[in-house]
Amino acid sequence: MTTALLTDHYELTMVQAALDAGTADRHSLFDLFTRRLPDGRRYGVVAGLGRAIEAIENFRFAEPEISWLLEQGVIKENLAEWLSNYRFSGDIWGYPEGEVYFPGSPVLSVEGSFAECCVLETVLLAIYNHDSAIAAAASRMTSMADGRPCAEMGARRTHEWAAVGAARAAYIAGFAATSNLEAGRTWGIPTMGTAAHSFTLLHDSEEQAFKAQLASLGEDTTLLVDTYDEDAAIRLGVQLTEGRLGAIRLDSGDLGIMARRARDLLDDLGATDTRITVTSDLDEWQIAALSGAPVDGYGVGTSLVTGSGHPTCGFVYKLVARAESADPTAPMTPVAKKSKGKNTLGGRKFAMRRRDEKGVAEAEVIGMGTPPTNDGDDRDLLVDVYEQGELVHRPTLEDARARHADSLAELPLAARRISHGDPAIETIILDASGDETTNPYQAAPNPGNI
Amino acid sequence: MTTALLTDHYELTMVQAALDAGTADRHSLFDLFTRRLPDGRRYGVVAGLGRAIEAIENFRFAEPEISWLLEQGVIKENLAEWLSNYRFSGDIWGYPEGEVYFPGSPVLSVEGSFAECCVLETVLLAIYNHDSAIAAAASRMTSMADGRPCAEMGARRTHEWAAVGAARAAYIAGFAATSNLEAGRTWGIPTMGTAAHSFTLLHDSEEQAFKAQLASLGEDTTLLVDTYDEDAAIRLGVQLTEGRLGAIRLDSGDLGIMARRARDLLDDLGATDTRITVTSDLDEWQIAALSGAPVDGYGVGTSLVTGSGHPTCGFVYKLVARAESADPTAPMTPVAKKSKGKNTLGGRKFAMRRRDEKGVAEAEVIGMGTPPTNDGDDRDLLVDVYEQGELVHRPTLEDARARHADSLAELPLAARRISHGDPAIETIILDASGDETTNPYQAAPNPGNI
């Protein structure tokens, strides 16, 4: 499936006008970054790079796309020909998936001709804005779960394909499994699930339903016990399995109180190994509130796939430098608009995480000249993704997951607090001489930080 | 592309267990509805039916899906065979797209064997929960725009395919156009767009950029005037077109003040026909606040594609009746679980909108027996979509758009207020004898309704 039309109309009208004016080939550098984190959030989580690479590989204008664009008058013949040969031939570098980021972090940089970089804007932003929003929420949830497994169950609460991306982003941020079969097939994420209330209601009695489930899925299955009376259902499940029932699921009511009651009852019945899973509108706050309850796992749906209040990230994709002519040897000039409140830092950047001697992150250092000498504690953040059109970065999803765990572990402890606050570390901007300069990003305190 | 794996794992384990237990063929009825509107919202908007029909048509388990499910141990051979022959063969009816809905409205009903209805749950909910959330936000925006055209520009702020669905939902709710090319191609929605700040920055001067754009796109194009100095850019645009410039776009700052200044300047320069379009984090409140400003059109991105604070709808898909055996002639029994706060109304329903003699909607009347006599002012809400597996409902997107405009026009005026409030009309539940019965939906006042 081509990704070529997952593109704003104006990307193509800009390229059309630039082609006609002879400026389309000017060598250009675009940065994908955010000026601020969502209100009160202490860090962001990069997710989407793996999907972005797929989108770039599938960014092809074949006959059906070209014909439609010509018919609609979006493009003219010269652009039609250019698009039909489109293949990204430039360089891309950025933060690996799973890495945390802060205001101003140059999460992805795309360098090539203006035209070839411009047309990727919409789909790259869409992927990063969605996937990173989900990953940031997921990371807060797994932090609060503190080792108890979280399962992603939000497929029914968001667009059907967004759900597949959400499951992937959640896995990067530490979720253990997903209910989403397509996410399992496409990305190899473990899938899970047993039964809903409808299964119990289908049968003549809860006993008939439980027997049917146990016969088909085995005693290690999870029985949903709150269709009628929880205590009766728990007793029934334990009795039918002679105490070997794998787990029960609670999906309504006051989950903390119910989990305590269920645990006591299970223990009284001798089912001490039967686990308790809770679901029902959980978010990071609910998970934190249940930290003292005897819960063995969380299933999270709505709040995960909607980013727990922040369904998008505010990433933008800005031209920060371009050549003064189409001559491939022409020098690059930093550029920046002056629109109010939307300042951009021009030019090519380095990015490193400054760490103290114990390895604790202290600052995000972004600069436009030579990076400062690394005293051994600091960490370079950028990896090459494409070199002259060739893909050179092929990490697995497990790599991204490990990267996230490591990056989070390195942040100051305050980063993991769920209360509203400022970014966990400051962003320091260095100018071309290596001197600190005014930071245009998240300069004002967060409204959420009282 | 098959939609078959856009499905929660548990749908298939339930069908597996039911197949093994001989209960999979019990005739069943599922309702898709919501127990409450998002806090403070006065009505919901049905969107997604057209996409749901596509998803049902493409719900096919071919060899790659079957093999993967078997390998993973999600299904056994008997279910593999059943899935490989899957084709929905039952009945579906519901609200047409564009119709407004209220708590308890039976927006979609799916009747057939338990198994064939069960497996559709996830993808149907995903589509309805997403598309209707966008449509509800869009409807509030077009109401506030009060005839001024709104353009959907949120492709970069949500999942790349969700964006296509969002553009479609927004169009149903009255948006005039989208920036999303795939939405244009797939759904025939008018697309629009001209240039971003990067286009101006690519060139040596704003004059060079404007000349390039005008040469390529013509004088009726929209020039983005806030890259450097708005006044200078407006003067330049007017001068280069000798006053015939189509439009300017303002994308930053205080849009009300800037629009006023821009209008005065354009008029002073004689460009009285040049339109003013505004963009930059608009939502329904901002649009309302700009109602007194000389604005000719709005471009809306983030808040539209994220549902303006409510990115999902809370639709659920519940088994409400099922046969007592797999015998096709067995009677259907209403069923309902008793989980706290999650009550369901069992059985097959009618739905009508009660209207007064002037045609103003007074109540959503939902019942489980014979509909009350229609005095001529009331309106039946349900349309047949599938009959015995055959698709019988093929409205166009324009039909859905017209349905929405008509349904909204029929609501009491208070429905269009953007302030938080209760549902615009009450939901009345009639029992099998036609008597009013307790309404389990949104019984408590909205928290947002102070």
Side-chain angles (χ1 to χ4, degrees):
Chain A
M1 191 89 177
T2 180
T3 53
L5 294 191
L6 298 170
T7 297
D8 283 328
H9 185 124
Y10 82 1
E11 314 289 7
L12 297 190
T13 47
M14 281 193 277
V15 172
Q16 180 68 64
L19 262 187
D20 294 348
T23 49
D25 284 337
R26 288 188 174 193
H27 201 72
S28 296
L29 171 62
F30 287 82
D31 278 352
L32 188 151
F33 65 97
T34 184
R35 298 188 180 94
R36 61 194 71 82
L37 299 179
D39 286 352
R41 288 282 177 85
R42 295 165 190 265
Y43 62 92
V45 179
V46 175
L49 176 56
R51 296 209 312 113
I53 289 169
E54 287 205 340
I56 293 167
E57 296 296 313
N58 294 318
F59 202 87
R60 297 278 185 279
F61 294 82
E63 199 281 323
E65 289 76 42
I66 299 283
S67 304
W68 183 80
L69 290 167
L70 282 168
E71 277 165 30
Q72 299 295 312
V74 180
I75 60 172
K76 294 183 281 192
E77 284 296 342
N78 57 340
L79 180 52
E81 190 180 333
W82 186 88
L83 291 175
S84 67
N85 295 315
Y86 183 81
R87 196 183 154 75
F88 181 72
S89 69
D91 296 335
I92 296 180
W93 61 92
Y95 284 36
E97 274 197 292
E99 185 57 83
V100 300
Y101 69 84
F102 298 93
S105 296
V107 164
L108 196 74
S109 296
V110 181
E111 185 172 357
S113 75
F114 173 80
E116 69 178 336
C117 300
C118 175
V119 294
L120 294 177
E121 173 176 26
T122 310
V123 73
L124 292 180
L125 280 174
I127 291 170
Y128 270 79
N129 272 322
H130 175 266
D131 291 16
S132 297
I134 307 305
S139 177
R140 288 162 59 83
M141 293 169 187
T142 53
S143 278
M144 288 305 112
D146 200 21
R148 291 173 177 174
C150 294
E152 186 282 308
M153 297 168 48
R156 63 189 57 196
R157 299 300 192 174
T158 186
H159 185 278
E160 67 277 18
W161 288 104
V164 180
R168 182 181 181 279
Y171 189 68
I172 290 171
F175 269 58
T178 179
S179 65
N180 191 311
L181 291 170
E182 191 64 68
R185 173 168 71 162
T186 306
W187 299 107
I189 302 167
T191 65
M192 46 68 67
T194 54
H197 294 106
S198 61
F199 185 77
T200 300
L201 295 172
L202 169 68
H203 292 88
D204 301 330
S205 66
E206 198 163 49
E207 179 168 357
Q208 190 192 40
F210 282 9
K211 279 182 172 169
Q213 184 177 333
L214 290 164
S216 183
L217 303 177
E219 289 179 339
D220 196 43
T221 193
T222 300
L223 292 175
L224 178 59
V225 295
D226 65 354
T227 305
Y228 305 112
D229 177 85
E230 294 89 14
D231 286 5
I234 291 170
R235 286 178 195 278
L236 178 62
V238 172
Q239 178 208 320
L240 292 174
T241 58
E242 294 174 351
R244 296 182 298 268
L245 178 62
I248 62 164
R249 177 159 76 96
L250 301 170
D251 183 48
S252 54
D254 185 313
L255 295 173
I257 292 172
M258 288 175 64
R260 181 75 266 162
R261 282 171 49 96
R263 182 76 270 157
D264 289 346
L265 179 56
L266 286 167
D267 291 349
D268 284 350
L269 297 170
T272 52
D273 289 341
T274 301
R275 300 176 305 279
I276 299 175
T277 297
V278 295
T279 56
S280 187
D281 286 337
L282 296 181
D283 59 16
E284 65 266 46
W285 310 89
Q286 280 286 336
I287 291 170
L290 288 167
S291 61
V295 167
D296 299 289
Y298 302 96
V300 190
T302 307
S303 71
L304 177 74
V305 298
T306 58
S308 196
H310 298 294
T312 191
C313 286
F315 281 127
V316 292
Y317 181 86
K318 294 294 168 189
L319 180 68
V320 294
R322 50 98 184 139
E324 288 167 36
S325 78
D327 178 344
T329 65
M332 301 272 280
T333 310
V335 295
K337 64 178 169 165
K338 296 196 176 126
S339 307
K340 291 168 200 71
K342 291 192 174 178
N343 296 320
T344 302
L345 209 62
R348 181 166 183 159
K349 298 163 194 72
F350 62 81
M352 53 197 291
R353 190 147 300 146
R354 184 173 290 165
R355 302 187 295 186
D356 68 16
E357 66 285 356
K358 292 178 181 159
V360 177
E362 293 181 314
E364 194 85 336
V365 182
I366 299 164
M368 279 170 299
T370 310
T373 310
N374 186 334
D375 62 6
D377 296 318
D378 303 341
R379 189 157 66 80
D380 289 330
L381 294 167
L382 301 175
V383 296
D384 290 327
V385 180
Y386 280 88
E387 287 176 357
Q388 294 188 294
E390 192 193 339
L391 179 64
V392 296
H393 181 68
R394 298 176 186 277
T396 66
L397 209 52
E398 298 300 329
D399 293 334
R401 196 170 155 86
R403 175 72 269 145
H404 181 62
D406 290 348
S407 295
L408 192 57
E410 169 187 283
L411 292 183
L413 272 179
R416 296 198 184 213
R417 289 166 58 188
I418 53 170
S419 57
H420 282 197
D422 282 330
I425 58 175
E426 66 177 330
T427 300
I428 294 173
I429 309 290
L430 302 182
D431 66 17
S433 328
D435 297 323
E436 262 192 57
T437 182
T438 314
N439 182 346
Y441 304 120
Q442 207 154 11
N446 274 322
N449 182 30
I450 297 156
Chain B
M1 192 88 178
T2 179
T3 53
L5 295 190
L6 299 171
T7 298
D8 283 329
H9 186 123
Y10 81 0
E11 314 288 7
L12 297 189
T13 46
M14 280 193 276
V15 172
Q16 180 68 63
L19 262 188
D20 294 348
T23 49
D25 284 336
R26 289 189 173 192
H27 201 72
S28 296
L29 170 62
F30 287 82
D31 277 352
L32 188 151
F33 65 97
T34 183
R35 298 190 180 92
R36 61 193 69 82
L37 298 179
D39 286 352
R41 289 282 179 86
R42 295 164 190 267
Y43 62 92
V45 180
V46 175
L49 177 56
R51 296 210 309 114
I53 289 169
E54 286 206 340
I56 293 168
E57 297 295 313
N58 294 318
F59 202 86
R60 296 280 184 279
F61 295 83
E63 199 282 322
E65 289 77 43
I66 299 283
S67 305
W68 183 80
L69 291 168
L70 282 168
E71 276 166 29
Q72 300 294 312
V74 179
I75 61 171
K76 294 184 283 193
E77 284 296 342
N78 56 340
L79 180 52
E81 191 180 330
W82 185 88
L83 291 176
S84 67
N85 295 314
Y86 183 81
R87 193 180 158 76
F88 180 72
S89 69
D91 295 336
I92 297 181
W93 62 91
Y95 284 35
E97 273 198 294
E99 184 58 82
V100 300
Y101 68 84
F102 297 93
S105 297
V107 164
L108 196 73
S109 296
V110 180
E111 185 172 358
S113 75
F114 174 80
E116 71 178 334
C117 300
C118 175
V119 295
L120 294 177
E121 175 176 24
T122 310
V123 74
L124 292 180
L125 280 174
I127 291 170
Y128 269 80
N129 271 322
H130 175 266
D131 291 14
S132 297
I134 307 307
S139 177
R140 287 162 59 84
M141 293 169 186
T142 53
S143 277
M144 289 305 112
D146 201 21
R148 293 174 176 173
C150 296
E152 187 283 309
M153 299 168 47
R156 63 188 57 197
R157 299 298 192 175
T158 186
H159 184 280
E160 67 277 20
W161 288 103
V164 181
R168 182 181 181 280
Y171 189 67
I172 290 171
F175 269 59
T178 179
S179 65
N180 191 310
L181 292 171
E182 191 63 67
R185 173 168 70 160
T186 305
W187 298 108
I189 302 167
T191 65
M192 45 68 66
T194 55
H197 294 107
S198 61
F199 185 77
T200 300
L201 295 172
L202 168 68
H203 292 88
D204 300 331
S205 66
E206 198 162 49
E207 180 168 358
Q208 190 192 39
F210 283 8
K211 280 181 171 168
Q213 184 177 334
L214 291 163
S216 183
L217 302 178
E219 290 179 341
D220 196 43
T221 193
T222 300
L223 292 175
L224 178 58
V225 295
D226 64 354
T227 304
Y228 305 112
D229 177 85
E230 294 89 12
D231 285 3
I234 290 169
R235 286 178 193 281
L236 178 62
V238 172
Q239 177 209 320
L240 292 173
T241 58
E242 293 175 352
R244 295 181 298 269
L245 178 62
I248 62 164
R249 177 159 76 96
L250 301 170
D251 183 48
S252 54
D254 185 311
L255 296 173
I257 292 171
M258 287 174 64
R260 181 76 265 161
R261 282 171 48 96
R263 182 75 269 157
D264 289 346
L265 179 55
L266 286 166
D267 290 348
D268 283 351
L269 297 170
T272 52
D273 290 339
T274 301
R275 300 177 304 280
I276 300 176
T277 297
V278 296
T279 56
S280 188
D281 286 337
L282 297 181
D283 59 16
E284 66 266 44
W285 310 89
Q286 281 286 337
I287 291 171
L290 289 167
S291 61
V295 168
D296 299 288
Y298 303 96
V300 190
T302 306
S303 72
L304 177 74
V305 298
T306 58
S308 195
H310 298 294
T312 191
C313 285
F315 281 127
V316 293
Y317 181 86
K318 294 296 168 187
L319 180 66
V320 293
R322 49 98 183 138
E324 289 168 33
S325 77
D327 178 346
T329 65
M332 300 272 282
T333 310
V335 295
K337 64 177 171 167
K338 298 197 176 126
S339 307
K340 290 170 200 71
K342 290 191 174 178
N343 297 319
T344 302
L345 208 61
R348 182 166 184 160
K349 298 164 195 71
F350 62 81
M352 52 196 290
R353 189 148 301 144
R354 183 174 291 165
R355 301 187 295 188
D356 68 15
E357 66 285 356
K358 292 178 181 160
V360 177
E362 294 181 314
E364 193 84 337
V365 181
I366 298 163
M368 280 171 298
T370 311
T373 310
N374 187 334
D375 63 5
D377 296 320
D378 303 340
R379 190 158 64 82
D380 289 330
L381 294 167
L382 301 176
V383 296
D384 289 327
V385 181
Y386 279 88
E387 287 176 358
Q388 295 189 290
E390 192 195 337
L391 179 64
V392 295
H393 181 67
R394 299 175 185 278
T396 66
L397 209 52
E398 298 300 330
D399 293 334
R401 196 170 156 87
R403 175 73 268 146
H404 181 62
D406 291 347
S407 296
L408 192 57
E410 167 187 282
L411 292 182
L413 272 179
R416 295 196 184 214
R417 289 167 58 189
I418 52 170
S419 57
H420 282 198
D422 283 330
I425 57 175
E426 64 176 333
T427 301
I428 294 173
I429 310 290
L430 302 183
D431 65 19
S433 329
D435 297 325
E436 262 191 56
T437 183
T438 314
N439 183 346
Y441 305 119
Q442 206 154 15
N446 274 323
N449 181 30
I450 297 156

